[in-house]
Amino acid sequence: MGKTWELDFYSKPILDENGKKLWEVLICESLCQPCSPETTGFRYSKYYPSTEVNSIALGQAIEEAIAEAGEPPTQIRFFRRQMNNMITKACKDLGMASKPSRRTLTLLSWLEERSQQVYPHEPGYDEAAAKSTSVKMESLPPQRLPDALIGQKWAFVSLEAEAFADFNEWEIGFGEAFPILGDKSLVPDLSPNSSIPGLIIFSSRALPMAAWISGIELAFLRFDGKEQPRLILETGPNESWILANINDRKTQKEAEGFEAAKTKASGVHFLAVQSDPNSESFAGFWLLREVELA
């Protein structure tokens, strides 16, 4: 399987000599890969004046990135829906697949790093503008899962962070993970014994369910305690699905504990699918992270 890239093309809190914001193309190899294969950690960045912000310039930047990386990606993920038309056109003109996604965790980590270590040292840095660059993405009302994809049982569980070190050796039908420990970690606050909460869904149709989940661009799980308490699966750029309605206080307390543990783990958690509790393999396993978009 080829590699996934994550891309951003947006204005920065840096003013040029005319007082206009500079724009920047950021392209990085995603560390969110199936079964955590070896990655090069490829990165590409380039500033642009606002007068050169168009799909042609973006296409040229992607071509430059491909030349530097030595090979094209299989797909490109991006999270800014307001840039959808430009990014989609640039990729389409190059014959490349692109998709809006909130699973751009490598890019978001890099953006945070650049916001702290790079942009403040650039000539023309505008501190006031830097404080107003976060993006709030509102999800659409959650949809009901297709009947064939509703699990017979589910359970809240947890694993220590160090358990994911050999993720690529697990027996998994469909899955994706990212480094949470070591030099390439996207979550520097975690330690080997940090508790990572998760949800396991048990279903007699585990493999079809995992296949469906793998195609909807997972973002994160959350507990919605308003009105009817329920577990929500956030996917794509703004879609969401009702995984389960919670009808008893005991399970609601477990869901609240899941949210608290997720917060303590810097948003990291997981979703797994198995045929039954005694299975030693997973039809699907995804490491997720709820993170504020930059």
Side-chain angles (χ1 to χ4, degrees):
M1 180 179 290
K3 293 176 179 176
T4 295
W5 283 3
E6 298 172 8
L7 180 151
D8 192 33
F9 191 19
Y10 208 65
S11 62
K12 299 299 166 184
I14 303 169
L15 305 180
D16 63 17
E17 60 274 12
N18 298 314
K20 302 293 185 180
K21 280 187 179 180
L22 286 178
W23 284 59
E24 183 180 40
V25 171
L26 292 175
I27 299 173
C28 60
E29 180 183 342
S30 179
L31 296 181
C32 297
Q33 304 278 3
C35 296
S36 298
E38 287 298 317
T39 59
T40 63
F42 171 75
R43 292 180 174 185
Y44 170 95
S45 64
K46 187 174 182 179
Y47 289 126
Y48 286 85
S50 58
T51 54
E52 295 181 19
V53 175
N54 53 58
S55 61
I56 296 175
L58 178 56
Q60 292 172 343
I62 295 173
E63 289 182 311
E64 289 178 8
I66 292 172
E68 288 188 19
E71 62 178 346
T74 300
Q75 66 174 348
I76 291 179
R77 287 171 170 159
F78 63 93
F79 71 88
R80 294 193 199 272
R81 294 205 305 274
Q82 63 268 51
M83 300 301 293
N84 180 81
N85 291 342
M86 186 182 298
I87 294 174
T88 300
K89 184 179 188 313
C91 292
K92 184 177 180 181
D93 289 346
L94 294 173
M96 305 186 69
S98 65
K99 62 173 65 174
S101 171
R102 282 176 285 180
R103 195 168 175 75
T104 53
L105 302 179
T106 310
L107 176 62
L108 293 173
S109 176
W110 190 21
L111 276 167
E112 182 177 2
E113 175 188 314
R114 291 182 69 78
S115 295
Q116 296 175 359
Q117 302 178 17
V118 178
Y119 304 145
H121 303 291
E122 296 281 16
Y125 176 68
D126 186 341
E127 186 175 359
K131 294 178 179 179
S132 60
T133 57
S134 62
V135 178
K136 295 293 184 182
M137 295 291 193
E138 296 296 331
S139 296
L140 295 171
Q143 308 173 61
R144 186 172 177 270
L145 279 175
D147 290 342
L149 297 172
I150 297 176
Q152 279 78 44
K153 296 180 180 179
W154 49 269
F156 290 110
V157 295
S158 64
L159 291 170
E160 289 192 343
E162 63 182 355
F164 292 92
D166 59 354
F167 179 81
N168 59 336
E169 299 175 9
W170 297 5
E171 188 177 343
I172 298 172
F174 298 88
E176 194 172 80
F178 53 90
I180 56 176
L181 296 174
D183 295 341
K184 293 183 179 179
S185 173
L186 299 183
V187 198
D189 296 334
L190 293 182
S191 65
N193 61 355
S194 293
S195 180
I196 308 300
L199 180 78
I200 299 182
I201 300 173
F202 302 107
S203 171
S204 58
R205 293 178 49 81
L207 200 58
M209 173 181 278
W212 180 83
I213 291 175
S214 72
I216 57 173
E217 205 64 19
L218 293 181
F220 56 88
L221 282 168
R222 65 180 176 86
F223 169 61
D224 181 2
K226 301 175 183 177
E227 300 178 5
Q228 168 61 55
R230 53 194 181 179
L231 287 174
I232 304 295
L233 177 62
E234 297 283 347
T235 69
N238 61 348
E239 295 87 14
S240 60
W241 307 82
I242 301 171
L243 276 187
N245 289 310
I246 296 178
N247 300 311
D248 62 276
R249 183 56 186 162
K250 177 178 180 295
T251 308
Q252 184 172 336
K253 290 287 287 184
E254 291 179 353
E256 291 169 351
F258 166 81
E259 278 294 316
K262 187 173 69 174
T263 299
K264 191 174 181 179
S266 299
V268 178
H269 56 294
F270 63 87
L271 172 66
V273 179
Q274 284 186 307
S275 55
D276 63 75
N278 296 318
S279 175
E280 295 184 358
S281 62
F282 295 96
F285 196 109
W286 297 268
L287 193 57
L288 308 172
R289 188 184 187 194
E290 182 174 359
V291 61
E292 184 174 302
L293 300 178

